[in-house]
Amino acid sequence: NAGVMQNPRHLVRRRGQEARLRCSPMKGHSHVYWYRQLPEEGLKFMVYLQKENIIDESGMPKERFSAEFPKEGPSILRIQQVVRGDSAAYFCASSPGDTAYEQYFGPGTRLTVT
Amino acid sequence: AQTVTQSQPEMSVQEAETVTLSCTYDTSESDYYLFWYKQPPSRQMILVIRQEAYKQQNATENRFSVNFQKAAKSFSLKISDSQLGDAAMYFCAYRSGSGGSNYKLTFGKGTLLTVNP
């Protein structure tokens, strides 16, 4: 049973470019969460999605950041016009439902903005 | 809002010895879950142990055990017979057990554990 998949593992973007981070949840999981880890910090919640719905995006910056989880395909976290402060590790987690309290994490995508 | 505090940025232990990592949290809720995650150099987040607040018995998983003090809002992790593979960043995390935001994990800043041979 494959775990949560994220790609790419490493992504380098110049300031002003767009970054697209992908997350494929575990088989059977329909709930996806994105977290960001800044250097020397713990993970911070960004957004919670179910298939075709954003449930809570309260942790996501209002501008430049968006997320989706389409009916088919992976969840996408999109960062437009990246800045140096966006450099971080972005983790995706999934769970089978909102009543399940365990979230399974992917290996993360390390974004570097030059 | 809930907060999680890990007061030890770094800890070290000799191989085969025991080490305890501290975590305190702040919440007004009575129903919640607490977790310890391990993040080795690969950066993969690995669940080590979890504790339901309504359970009085401390959780254990092989060499890992917790000391859960609900009144004191303390949740420490004890690693017995430390092994070189235990070297990692350890994060304490909180999750509400009820209400509209019962899916968010709130993490502490982490404790970097070094295991000396």
Side-chain angles (χ1 to χ4, degrees), chain B residues 31-43:
Chain B
D31 183 21
Y32 52 88
Y33 304 92
L34 296 164
F35 306 85
W36 279 98
Y37 279 89
K38 170 185 177 181
Q39 187 179 47
S42 68
R43 303 193 69 83

Side-chain angles (χ1 to χ4, degrees), chain A residues 56-94:
Chain A
D56 181 353
E57 55 184 350
S58 61
M60 202 152 66
K62 293 285 187 286
E63 298 179 357
R64 302 189 296 108
F65 285 73
S66 62
E68 63 177 9
F69 189 17
K71 187 176 179 181
E72 301 290 337
S75 174
I76 307 286
L77 179 67
R78 182 181 177 207
I79 311 172
Q80 294 178 290
Q81 299 175 326
V82 296
V83 301
R84 289 231 172 100
D86 296 332
S87 295
Y90 292 83
F91 288 89
C92 168
S94 73

Side-chain angles (χ1 to χ4, degrees), chain A residues 8-21:
Chain A
R9 292 294 307 275
H10 301 276
L11 182 62
V12 179
R13 284 288 177 266
R14 292 198 183 96
R15 279 179 295 170
Q17 291 184 319
E18 178 180 288
R20 279 179 167 252
L21 288 61

